[in-house]
Amino acid sequence: MTIERAPATIQLGAAEVMHWGRDGMLVACGTTLATCLAVAEELRRRGIDAGVINARFVKPLDSATILRAVAECPMS
């Protein structure tokens, strides 16, 4: 899967939220972004709203965005 988009300025340590899901979140880093987007699309077809966060960096990690995703994900 190829991701087509215009180049944008990247802030060091800032994640990019591709889609905020109601049912769960996938966190991508590096080359896993395309796979996570494809998986999220398949899950949406099955009725599960999974979002995708492009973490971009492992160090420094955007802990605020990751922790928000964890806090807002439903627990079952």
Side-chain angles (χ1 to χ4, degrees):
M1 174 182 209
T2 302
I3 302 168
E4 306 261 343
R5 60 186 172 165
T9 303
I10 297 175
Q11 181 183 352
L12 182 64
E16 174 185 26
V17 178
M18 307 299 290
H19 170 73
W20 202 264
R22 291 185 319 268
D23 299 321
M25 297 292 287
L26 301 169
V27 180
C29 189
T31 60
T32 64
L33 178 59
T35 302
C36 286
L37 289 170
V39 168
E41 180 60 33
E42 178 61 28
L43 288 170
R44 275 192 288 283
R45 282 195 286 270
R46 296 173 185 222
I48 300 169
D49 183 25
V52 177
I53 296 172
N54 179 9
R56 291 184 174 152
F57 304 95
V58 174
K59 188 174 183 179
L61 183 66
D62 185 349
S63 57
T65 301
I66 304 298
L67 290 173
R68 178 181 167 204
V70 170
E72 292 184 10
C73 282
M75 303 298 279
S76 51

